[in-house]
Amino acid sequence: MNIIVYLINISINNNNNNNYNSNIDQFINNNNNINKNQIVNDFIETLEIIKSIQQQSDDEFKNIFSNNKSDTLEILCNIFKAIYCNNENNNEFVISISNGFTSNQLVDLLNPIKQISNIIIEINENSIQGFIKIEEMLPQTFLLKFIKFIIQDLATIGINDGNRGDETILVYIKLVKIFWNNNQLSLIEKSIQEMFSIILDNNNNNNNSDNISNEITGSIINILNISPIELIPLFINIIDNGRVQDSDLLEVISKLTKWPLTFTNSKWILETFISLIKSKKTTLLASIVIECAESITRQMFILELLPNAYEILERMLLGYQHSPDTFHSIIPLFPIIIEFLFTFYNKIKGIEDNSSITIDLVPIVKSDIQQSVRKILSINGGENGSSLRKDLLVFSIKRVVQPARFKKSIYTTLNKFSKLSWTLMYHHTGYPELYSDLIQLLHRLSPHLDPVPSEFEMKKLLEENAWPSLDSLVFENIKLKRVLSDRAGLINLGNTCYMNSFLQALYMTIPFRNLLLQKIDQDLINSIKSQFITNVSTGDNEENVKLMEQKYSKEIFKRAPLLKQIQIVFANLRLSIKESISPDSFLKCLSIEYQSGLQHDSFEFGKSLLDNLDLIFKNINKEKVLEFERNQKKQKLINDSSENKNTNSTNTENYSSEISKLFGGKLSNKITCRKCKNESIKIEEYLEIPLAFSDYKKENYTLEEMVQDYLSNEELVGDNKYHCEKCKSLEEADKIIKLNSTPQHLILGINRFYFSRESKSISKLLNNVDYPLEFNLPYTPNNNNNNDSDTNNNNTDNQDKPKYSNYSLYAIIMHSGRSPNHGHYYCYAKPSNSKQLDWCLFNDSLVQISDIKTIQKISKSFSTDVPYILFYVRNDTNDIEENTDMNVTTWIKNQIDKENQLLHNKYKQNLNNKKLLLEQFHVSGQFKND
């Protein structure tokens, strides 16, 4: 009797009762000593019946097979599974199969894939080794189907399946390793490719659906986890093959970093970085750093994954040095991680090192690790993140068992992490409020940690790990929620903090802001209207309105680019819904030296900017006068004598400027020759005052002292002798400056850089300057109405006592660092017209509320963060409060309103879209304007 046919017949007859497996299992259990060779022969005979349905004398079974072929194959495979997996001596059965079956017959038995799954799921430790002989008989194409099923099923094993899930994963992984060991590279590569295909397909499906229930689980990462490390560089093209869109690849890698970062998995990610650098996919690489930094950092709370997560994090933060955004986004986690590691360091420092962790022959990513990673990534600290520290520490400390196993890893990573922290704060200097918690903790733990790295060590670490190809990338980091509605950050376009800081200080100068956002265009409209007033009176209003609009558009179009672009920057700061905006178009209007990507002096930049704007406004005012004269001539309302009154009208210097009115004053520069006593007095306009330290060795200065030093006598002797016009020779002389008038808004620059002959380099002076919230500026009015800028006379100055203008502080530009080439500028400011102490920090893209007490303490905690430029408003100045959007001229407001609507539609619901993340990267100097 054919036992297999007999079992099939019983199962088919009981089909309605769903007793397939019970009938088969019962028969096998009752006949455990069935001759294995007979069973194999019966299997072969049955396969032939099913395949050909010929040469059978028993018509009853022929009809059964003909009518129930699909069911018969499933039953047949169940019989195979029952005999193979339940028989105590399955090796004997396997030997009989290998001796009796051909390869094709075995494929027929195990096909389709549904039948394979039934066998795989039931395979246990006792039967897995015997399966090797069966595997040797199967062709690679069929084995690949086998592995595909395993990978697909791994992707469905949830972290809540517990030990049962771990057991299944272990069997699967052992089977895959068996297949890989016997089939070498091609099958390994195809297996890994299948894994990435499943992840990619899942991402695409989820992106097109709101249903997240089909999300694959982290169990699939076990395929990478068993891949041979030495082969990773060969297989990296599976990830970076040029056929996958960058946004999809970013999605895949992002998912990998949210699964347990085992040793092997971390090597895959690190090799991916190397591959992307070689293929020059800099935008994608930078996007990975920004997108994945937090999930990688959080995995440092899992001690089993600590060194692997740290290695990736260090590579990313030291590689992408161009922007501080990533470091700053995760810096709240740094003190918590250090506290977590130090907690265990304290507990186990006296315990004998027991860092040799037992590793299974076939390691798997178990469900408890997956659960821990998922939990640590989901902790958000409640509302406003107030309990983040507590929640992270409680969970991560509570889950640790036998921490002594990780003693070496904890101690090594703790010191590496502290060194990384110091290095990143050194490189991205100038964020005292952001770094204060971390620095305080590092100082407190310093007796237990390695020494603070030297500047040489930090520079070396940065140079050795930099990704130079990313230096020109700028991340726009579009966010649509502001701290304050009328204030926004400015994106650093590559060492442009000097520019951003000065622009923010000017923006907080309310009359200057109003000048750019409304007054200049309102004046233009009024001027145009006045030119058409006669024609309007004739009644042809519609035509004149049209002509006025054309004239207005023409004037805006031909406006100096520098003026137009700073108007647009200010309007965006005022009206854009973005947290930070790009001043890229403004940067392009500056002289070429400022577009080089090099660091510049903020005071010198501000001086250059105001000088250029001053000249532009003088030209505008000059053109107004000339236009008025031309119109007068046309209307024959002036006579020849009046035409001759403006003989100097072509000289720009004879016209006033709004910049001079807001920031300008006049001073007299008097030089007295010691030989002939001749005095040369030169009257000059000034837009800012540079202050210097009279004695480098003096540690503390007051602002009043520095102003007095500026106004005190200067001896012109030695190499600095004065050329006297009267003596016709170089003579010793005395020079003194007197302020004749004071500006509405006073800009004071503190010269902190000097050339050191000892070091033959430019050094920074860190002398403390006490700058008051209010102070009095002395000035001596010039009673001489002579407008000549340079006079020579022997008369003494009038003996009037000096007067004082009272000023209030409203902006401070700080410089952080020890040299002009390695440093950072940032600004604290409040509206110049505000009597409240509503200070804000403007640090490139970062804007946050601050207070004057914190500002005044910065230099005490951060010695290289010192005031560099001070902005004061004269207290008799009537700055006009700005309250509504109506204060922005229409042509700019309409442009920004349109952009706001586009931004809102594009980003409001899709900020996590990976394509949008990639779009926010631009090469410095090539920002998109749309």
Side-chain angles (χ1 to χ4, degrees):
M1 179 184 72
N2 186 318
I3 296 173
I4 305 303
V5 172
Y6 171 75
L7 290 172
I8 292 173
N9 187 31
I10 293 176
S11 298
I12 290 177
N13 288 335
N14 287 280
N15 187 21
N16 294 331
N17 296 323
N18 294 320
N19 287 327
Y20 282 15
N21 296 334
S22 60
N23 289 327
I24 295 170
D25 291 342
Q26 183 179 357
F27 180 85
I28 297 299
N29 291 332
N30 293 337
N31 299 274
N32 197 39
N33 294 321
I34 296 174
N35 184 282
K36 301 303 182 295
N37 289 328
Q38 179 190 345
I39 291 179
V40 171
N41 291 332
D42 288 350
F43 264 119
I44 295 171
E45 182 181 9
T46 306
L47 283 169
E48 290 301 317
I49 295 172
I50 296 172
K51 190 173 182 179
S52 62
I53 318 180
Q54 293 175 358
Q55 300 175 358
Q56 289 296 321
S57 58
D58 193 330
D59 292 336
E60 179 184 356
F61 288 123
K62 183 176 181 180
N63 291 335
I64 289 173
F65 293 149
S66 299
N67 297 328
N68 302 278
K69 185 173 182 180
S70 61
D71 289 341
T72 303
L73 285 171
E74 183 175 347
I75 295 167
L76 188 63
C77 197
N78 285 336
I79 296 170
F80 178 90
K81 176 191 71 177
I83 296 173
Y84 176 72
C85 296
N86 297 336
N87 198 289
E88 292 180 359
N89 193 9
N90 59 61
N91 282 338
E92 181 184 342
F93 179 53
V94 169
I95 293 172
S96 299
I97 289 176
S98 61
N99 291 335
F101 274 66
T102 65
S103 176
N104 290 337
Q105 287 171 335
L106 189 58
V107 169
D108 287 338
L109 172 65
L110 300 179
N111 217 12
I113 200 70
K114 182 180 178 181
Q115 318 299 14
I116 300 176
S117 66
N118 290 333
I119 295 175
I120 295 175
I121 292 171
E122 294 297 328
I123 289 177
N124 54 37
E125 287 293 322
N126 294 326
S127 57
I128 194 168
Q129 292 302 317
F131 200 78
I132 296 177
K133 290 186 176 295
I134 296 178
E135 179 267 335
E136 290 174 348
M137 298 176 61
L138 296 172
Q140 190 178 104
T141 53
F142 189 77
L143 286 177
L144 185 58
K145 288 184 180 180
F146 218 144
I147 292 177
K148 280 185 177 181
F149 165 78
I150 289 176
I151 297 173
Q152 290 166 357
D153 203 42
L154 276 173
T156 65
I157 299 177
I159 60 176
N160 296 322
D161 291 338
N163 292 335
R164 176 58 183 163
D166 289 345
E167 291 171 3
T168 304
I169 292 172
L170 185 61
V171 170
Y172 281 175
I173 294 307
K174 287 185 175 182
L175 282 174
V176 172
K177 285 186 73 69
I178 289 171
F179 299 157
W180 284 4
N181 288 339
N182 292 337
N183 291 274
Q184 301 296 319
L185 297 180
S186 60
L187 195 60
I188 301 177
E189 182 176 4
K190 290 175 181 177
S191 302
I192 297 172
Q193 194 161 15
E194 175 66 17
M195 188 206 77
F196 281 110
S197 296
I198 291 173
I199 297 175
L200 191 58
D201 291 342
N202 182 260
N203 289 335
N204 292 334
N205 292 335
N206 287 337
N207 287 338
N208 297 325
S209 171
D210 294 331
N211 183 13
I212 62 172
S213 60
N214 295 324
E215 184 76 15
I216 60 177
T217 69
S219 299
I220 198 174
I221 201 70
N222 281 281
I223 297 298
L224 273 191
N225 194 49
I226 61 170
S227 59
I229 293 176
E230 63 273 12
L231 297 181
I232 291 177
L234 297 178
F235 294 155
I236 201 67
N237 66 317
I238 295 172
I239 297 177
D240 183 23
N241 57 21
R243 297 187 294 272
V244 181
Q245 291 186 3
D246 283 358
S247 57
D248 292 331
L249 189 51
L250 175 59
E251 190 79 53
V252 170
I253 297 173
S254 175
K255 195 174 289 289
L256 292 181
T257 64
K258 291 179 175 63
W259 290 331
L261 294 171
T262 64
F263 178 77
T264 305
N265 297 345
S266 65
K267 294 303 178 188
W268 268 93
I269 294 173
L270 291 169
E271 285 294 334
T272 301
F273 293 164
I274 296 173
S275 175
L276 293 177
I277 291 172
K278 289 180 179 177
S279 58
K280 298 181 180 180
K281 291 192 174 183
T282 53
T283 298
L284 176 57
L285 181 56
S287 300
I288 292 171
V289 173
I290 289 173
E291 175 72 11
C292 304
E294 182 170 356
S295 58
I296 291 170
T297 306
R298 283 175 175 253
Q299 291 203 42
M300 290 179 66
F301 288 101
I302 312 295
L303 289 182
E304 294 90 334
L305 310 175
L306 172 64
N308 312 320
Y310 174 76
E311 186 178 9
I312 300 174
L313 181 68
E314 181 189 62
R315 193 72 195 91
M316 294 194 318
L317 295 181
L318 292 179
Y320 185 32
Q321 299 176 12
H322 183 64
S323 169
D325 288 346
T326 304
F327 174 46
H328 291 168
S329 70
I330 59 176
I331 197 171
L333 295 172
F334 275 50
I336 309 174
I337 291 173
I338 292 174
E339 188 175 355
F340 165 68
L341 294 177
F342 189 74
T343 298
F344 284 108
Y345 168 77
N346 256 344
K347 286 184 178 181
I348 62 179
K349 62 182 178 181
I351 301 176
E352 184 179 351
D353 190 359
N354 185 25
S355 57
S356 56
I357 303 173
T358 303
I359 301 177
D360 295 334
L361 292 177
V362 185
I364 65 169
V365 182
K366 293 184 178 181
S367 58
D368 65 324
I369 293 291
Q370 292 190 54
Q371 286 176 332
S372 296
V373 170
R374 174 173 286 193
K375 176 64 177 177
I376 210 73
L377 295 183
S378 66
I379 294 175
N380 57 21
E383 187 176 355
N384 300 322
S386 57
S387 65
L388 180 65
R389 172 187 168 275
K390 175 185 174 183
D391 294 348
L392 286 172
L393 289 176
V394 168
F395 172 77
S396 54
I397 292 175
K398 187 176 180 180
R399 69 168 296 278
V400 176
V401 179
Q402 297 180 332
R405 296 180 298 156
F406 309 104
K407 181 178 180 180
K408 183 177 180 181
S409 173
I410 290 171
Y411 181 77
T412 302
T413 307
L414 179 59
N415 279 291
K416 284 184 177 180
F417 195 61
S418 64
K419 182 178 181 180
L420 176 67
S421 300
W422 285 118
T423 302
L424 293 173
M425 288 188 290
Y426 163 79
H427 182 65
H428 302 299
T429 186
Y431 297 85
E433 296 184 12
L434 202 58
Y435 297 161
S436 59
D437 289 346
L438 179 57
I439 288 179
Q440 288 175 16
L441 179 61
L442 288 171
H443 281 310
R444 182 162 59 86
L445 301 182
S446 59
H448 309 280
L449 302 175
D450 289 345
V452 176
S454 66
E455 185 174 2
F456 174 80
E457 289 177 298
M458 292 187 287
K459 284 183 176 180
K460 183 179 179 183
L461 187 63
L462 289 163
E463 289 174 2
E464 290 175 347
N465 291 278
W467 291 333
S469 55
L470 273 66
D471 282 352
S472 61
L473 279 183
V474 176
F475 179 49
E476 193 167 358
N477 195 17
I478 294 177
K479 296 179 182 178
L480 305 185
K481 188 177 180 181
R482 290 186 171 195
V483 175
L484 294 170
S485 61
D486 65 337
R487 304 175 201 184
L490 290 170
I491 296 167
N492 192 315
L493 304 176
N495 291 322
T496 57
C497 56
Y498 67 90
M499 177 184 77
N500 292 347
S501 299
F502 204 92
L503 286 176
Q504 292 285 17
L506 290 181
Y507 176 74
M508 299 303 280
T509 307
I510 301 303
F512 182 67
R513 183 199 300 184
N514 285 335
L515 170 67
L516 296 183
L517 296 186
Q518 183 188 42
K519 188 175 183 301
I520 181 177
D521 287 291
Q522 188 59 53
D523 289 348
L524 176 61
I525 291 172
N526 294 337
S527 174
I528 293 173
K529 283 182 178 180
S530 67
Q531 296 172 24
F532 284 83
I533 190 168
T534 303
N535 293 333
V536 171
S537 63
T538 63
D540 194 3
N541 289 336
E542 184 175 343
E543 180 64 23
N544 280 284
V545 168
K546 184 177 180 180
L547 289 173
M548 284 190 290
E549 289 176 349
Q550 291 175 350
K551 175 73 172 175
Y552 179 68
S553 298
K554 182 180 178 181
E555 291 298 322
I556 295 295
F557 179 77
K558 70 177 187 179
R559 180 172 289 170
L562 180 65
L563 176 57
K564 189 187 299 184
Q565 290 304 324
I566 196 173
Q567 284 184 277
I568 293 173
V569 168
F570 276 29
N572 274 284
L573 290 173
R574 181 68 182 87
L575 298 179
S576 175
I577 61 175
K578 293 191 289 187
E579 279 191 5
S580 56
I581 59 106
S582 165
D584 186 68
S585 296
F586 171 78
L587 180 63
K588 293 176 182 176
C589 296
L590 302 177
S591 60
I592 193 66
E593 63 179 307
Y594 292 115
Q595 301 181 45
S596 63
L598 300 176
Q599 181 69 278
H600 289 276
D601 186 290
S602 186
F603 184 73
E604 292 300 322
F605 163 76
K607 186 176 185 301
S608 172
L609 175 63
L610 291 178
D611 285 346
N612 280 298
L613 289 174
D614 186 50
L615 183 60
I616 290 170
F617 276 102
K618 284 178 177 178
N619 281 323
I620 290 174
N621 293 332
K622 168 187 165 183
E623 185 59 34
K624 286 180 184 178
V625 173
L626 294 177
E627 182 72 19
F628 176 78
E629 291 178 357
R630 286 192 291 268
N631 289 335
Q632 292 285 58
K633 290 178 182 179
K634 289 179 182 178
Q635 297 173 37
K636 302 184 182 300
L637 296 178
I638 57 174
N639 54 38
D640 292 341
S641 61
S642 62
E643 290 179 14
N644 294 329
K645 289 181 181 179
N646 290 295
T647 55
N648 292 325
S649 62
T650 56
N651 187 350
T652 303
E653 293 300 322
N654 292 328
Y655 295 90
S656 63
S657 159
E658 285 78 355
I659 300 298
S660 298
K661 292 176 183 177
L662 290 173
F663 300 100
K666 288 190 175 183
L667 60 80
S668 59
N669 193 341
K670 184 179 73 169
I671 301 177
T672 304
C673 177
R674 289 183 176 180
K675 182 178 180 180
C676 67
K677 307 302 180 183
N678 182 63
E679 293 181 351
S680 172
I681 302 176
K682 189 173 184 179
I683 308 299
E684 299 176 348
E685 286 188 350
Y686 66 92
L687 298 176
E688 59 283 310
I689 296 177
L691 303 178
F693 297 106
S694 57
D695 182 1
Y696 295 165
K697 295 180 180 180
K698 183 178 177 180
E699 293 184 0
N700 298 305
Y701 279 83
T702 65
L703 188 63
E704 290 85 350
E705 282 182 295
M706 299 191 75
V707 170
Q708 286 300 328
D709 285 342
Y710 174 75
L711 299 176
S712 63
N713 182 68
E714 177 186 358
E715 295 183 338
L716 305 180
V717 296
D719 294 338
N720 196 27
K721 285 183 179 180
Y722 164 68
H723 187 274
C724 179
E725 293 293 333
K726 188 174 181 180
C727 297
K728 306 295 183 182
S729 60
L730 290 173
E731 300 294 340
E732 292 183 349
D734 294 292
K735 175 183 174 181
I736 191 166
I737 294 174
K738 287 188 178 182
L739 303 182
N740 302 131
S741 64
T742 58
Q744 294 182 21
H745 300 85
L746 174 66
I747 302 176
L748 300 172
I750 301 174
N751 184 9
R752 292 188 174 272
F753 298 113
Y754 75 103
F755 181 79
S756 172
R757 294 183 179 180
E758 295 178 359
S759 63
K760 296 183 179 180
S761 62
I762 297 178
S763 299
K764 180 179 176 181
L765 297 168
L766 300 176
N767 309 59
N768 179 58
V769 177
D770 180 18
Y771 52 94
L773 296 181
E774 290 192 11
F775 92 108
N776 293 318
L777 180 66
Y779 71 100
T780 304
N782 183 13
N783 296 324
N784 185 358
N785 293 323
N786 189 346
N787 290 325
D788 291 341
S789 62
D790 198 349
T791 63
N792 288 282
N793 59 68
N794 292 312
N795 298 324
T796 58
D797 291 340
N798 66 66
Q799 300 300 316
D800 291 347
K801 292 183 179 181
K803 297 183 178 181
Y804 294 90
S805 293
N806 184 254
Y807 284 89
S808 292
L809 182 71
Y810 72 92
I812 312 159
I813 293 179
M814 307 286 288
H815 182 269
S816 176
R818 293 187 176 275
S819 74
N821 299 322
H822 182 272
H824 180 68
Y825 293 96
Y826 56 98
C827 175
Y828 287 100
K830 69 182 186 72
S832 64
N833 62 341
S834 173
K835 299 302 180 183
Q836 305 297 322
L837 298 179
D838 48 345
W839 290 86
C840 262
L841 166 66
F842 298 92
N843 200 333
D844 288 335
S845 299
L846 176 67
V847 177
Q848 65 184 42
I849 296 172
S850 188
D851 62 89
I852 192 62
K853 291 183 179 179
T854 300
I855 298 169
Q856 291 176 327
K857 291 179 181 178
I858 285 175
S859 297
K860 294 180 181 178
S861 302
F862 300 83
S863 61
T864 66
D865 291 52
V866 289
Y868 195 70
I869 308 174
L870 302 171
F871 292 75
Y872 283 86
V873 58
R874 202 173 65 208
N875 286 326
D876 61 357
T877 301
N878 295 320
D879 287 10
I880 300 172
E881 183 70 54
E882 177 186 40
N883 292 317
T884 66
D885 292 348
M886 296 301 292
N887 288 339
V888 179
T889 190
T890 305
W891 72 270
I892 311 178
K893 185 176 185 299
N894 291 343
Q895 176 181 329
I896 295 175
D897 286 345
K898 182 179 179 181
E899 181 182 332
N900 283 343
Q901 189 59 50
L902 291 173
L903 285 168
H904 188 277
N905 295 338
K906 187 174 184 180
Y907 287 95
K908 190 68 174 179
Q909 304 299 328
N910 300 294
L911 281 175
N912 292 325
N913 187 301
K914 299 301 182 288
K915 288 184 179 179
L916 296 183
L917 176 63
L918 290 163
E919 288 176 5
Q920 293 177 54
F921 280 92
H922 311 281
V923 176
S924 180
Q926 298 182 18
F927 259 71
K928 297 177 182 177
N929 293 321
D930 54 0

